[in-house]
Amino acid sequence: MADETTSSSPTIDPYEYLQFFPNPDDTATRKSNVLLSKTISDPDHDPRVLFKDVPISTSNNTWARIFLPRQVLDSSSTTKLPLIVYYHGGGFILGSLDDRFFHDFCSNVALEYPAVVVSAQYRLAPEHRLPAAYDDSMEALHWIKTTQEELLKKYADFSSCFLMGPSAGANTAYQVGLRAAAQVEDILPLKIKGLILQHLFIGGVKRTESELRLINNPIFPVCASDLMWEFSLPHGADRDHEYCNLTVGGGSDVLDQIKQLGWKVLITATTGDPMIDRQVEMARMMEQRGVQVKSHYDEGGYHGIDVIEPEKRKAVPVIMKEFVNSAMAPQSVKDIVG
């Protein structure tokens, strides 16, 4: 296995690996794969957490799932819980918020943080290439700010909102964050306090050392991420497009606004992820732009481990609490090696 993961030549068929098969009409056939396992049913769900599905856009067939710890329903306290808006992973071509990994993760965060979690569905590529996922995810924010849904109006603190996601969901949280920072008044009464980016899905044309070293990583080979970008980026774009290479040109101009707003950014990653070099570069770039960043890097591991493995999943709320509650000095990056 060591020889395979350190080889500089790809040996894995990404279509078979992902069970993703493009069709001539710019659609795709998706079969069951090792990354995603649908779906959750009520008997499998943690009874300590209430969840409710709500429609967002009937025309785009998008929806959201609200998670709330049941204990607050019986509490006399009027204190509202922080609001976490969560975007699922899947490389923009796979996945749904009701995949078991994402459902269980959101349920755990709602219970252990605790928080109100809104997990938002977005349209997938290649049927709907980027920026469709970003558009849908931004629409979810506007739905939240105007909804009359009681679970949100009664229990969610709209003035303490964080955008969060793993992999492509982290990429989406970042892109939605850029849009939201550029139109702060338009999303009131939502007040975003920061971004929580887990195992950020990020790329570029030129290979990094970690991509070459882990090119045939058995959990997430580089060829799989290449395929995801090929079918999710706008037609004609390469991996240095701003949706993929988030550090190109020194990053978005909106980072200056994020700095002024005082948002905090948490980046979690593992050294076993082929994208680790890019994730470290991303943290460094934001630090240089004056954004308050905290990085949590675990040794070993793999892309998405925080969502997939139950024990790692349980540790995330602890890291989140430390991140939110810590008094971070501007223009600094704190690295915690776990």
Side-chain angles (χ1 to χ4, degrees):
M1 187 64 68
D3 290 339
E4 181 178 326
T5 58
T6 57
S7 169
S8 61
S9 300
T11 61
I12 298 170
D13 181 341
Y15 298 97
E16 289 291 338
Y17 178 79
L18 295 173
Q19 289 294 286
F20 173 88
F21 304 100
N23 301 315
D25 61 352
D26 218 11
T27 64
T29 300
R30 300 167 177 86
K31 299 181 180 180
S32 179
N33 65 76
V34 296
L35 295 180
L36 305 172
S37 56
K38 289 195 177 191
T39 54
I40 194 72
S41 61
D42 284 322
D44 299 324
H45 175 72
D46 189 328
R48 297 172 295 175
V49 179
L50 170 71
F51 76 90
K52 179 181 180 180
D53 294 342
V54 292
I56 293 181
S57 170
T58 54
S59 60
N60 291 332
N61 196 30
T62 55
W63 53 292
R65 177 166 290 174
I66 303 169
F67 296 82
L68 181 73
R70 289 187 183 273
Q71 63 187 19
V72 305
L73 301 175
D74 303 322
S75 173
S76 59
S77 173
T78 58
T79 302
K80 294 185 177 183
L81 297 177
L83 174 63
I84 307 292
V85 182
Y86 182 87
Y87 304 111
H88 68 80
F92 298 112
I93 65 172
L94 301 170
S96 170
L97 64 82
D98 63 351
D99 287 319
R100 180 62 183 265
F101 292 141
F102 304 130
H103 177 99
D104 287 351
F105 182 89
C106 290
S107 179
N108 182 66
V109 169
L111 180 67
E112 300 294 341
Y113 185 76
V116 177
V117 179
V118 177
S119 181
Q121 182 66 34
Y122 51 80
R123 290 170 292 170
L124 298 179
E127 294 87 349
H128 307 282
R129 288 177 177 262
L130 295 175
Y134 307 149
D135 295 341
D136 294 344
S137 300
M138 192 68 193
E139 185 178 24
L141 285 189
H142 285 282
W143 176 84
I144 291 170
K145 79 164 191 175
T146 59
T147 185
Q148 298 302 306
E149 170 56 53
E150 183 182 13
L151 294 181
L152 294 181
K153 290 180 68 67
K154 188 173 181 179
Y155 299 108
D157 182 358
F158 281 21
S159 69
S160 183
C161 176
F162 289 82
L163 307 183
M164 179 179 189
S167 191
N171 181 294
T172 301
Y174 176 75
Q175 295 287 355
V176 172
L178 293 179
R179 294 188 183 191
Q183 47 183 292
V184 173
E185 299 296 324
D186 291 342
I187 63 171
L188 291 174
L190 280 180
K191 293 183 179 179
I192 296 171
K193 298 296 186 182
L195 312 176
I196 302 172
L197 311 179
Q198 299 175 279
H199 300 219
L200 179 64
F201 187 49
I202 183 172
V205 171
K206 185 178 179 179
R207 297 288 191 222
T208 65
E209 186 279 331
S210 62
E211 288 171 340
L212 292 172
R213 174 170 48 86
L214 298 167
I215 197 164
N216 290 307
N217 180 270
I219 302 298
F220 195 38
V222 173
C223 60
S225 61
D226 287 351
L227 183 150
M228 289 169 163
W229 287 120
E230 177 184 351
F231 286 97
S232 62
L233 287 170
H235 285 292
D238 65 20
R239 293 192 306 276
D240 280 335
H241 190 279
E242 61 182 336
Y243 296 159
C244 175
N245 190 342
L246 305 182
T247 61
V248 69
S252 170
D253 291 341
V254 183
L255 288 173
D256 296 333
Q257 179 70 6
I258 288 178
K259 172 189 173 182
Q260 293 172 12
L261 290 168
W263 290 10
K264 300 175 182 178
V265 179
L266 172 63
I267 294 181
T268 67
T270 72
T271 60
D273 186 340
M275 287 173 274
I276 181 63
D277 287 352
R278 297 189 186 278
Q279 293 155 355
V280 171
E281 181 187 6
M282 181 71 174
R284 186 180 299 116
M285 181 270 290
M286 286 192 289
E287 177 198 21
Q288 291 170 348
R289 297 288 296 274
V291 177
Q292 299 179 67
V293 180
K294 184 175 183 177
S295 302
H296 183 105
Y297 302 130
D298 282 331
E299 292 292 337
Y302 54 85
H303 187 83
I305 191 173
D306 290 353
V307 175
I308 295 170
E309 293 194 7
E311 290 306 312
K312 290 290 186 180
R313 189 186 308 150
K314 291 177 182 178
V316 172
V318 176
I319 299 170
M320 289 172 60
K321 288 178 184 178
E322 293 176 353
F323 162 66
V324 173
N325 296 332
S326 63
M328 293 183 292
Q331 299 185 343
S332 68
V333 174
K334 292 185 179 180
D335 292 338
I336 304 173
V337 180

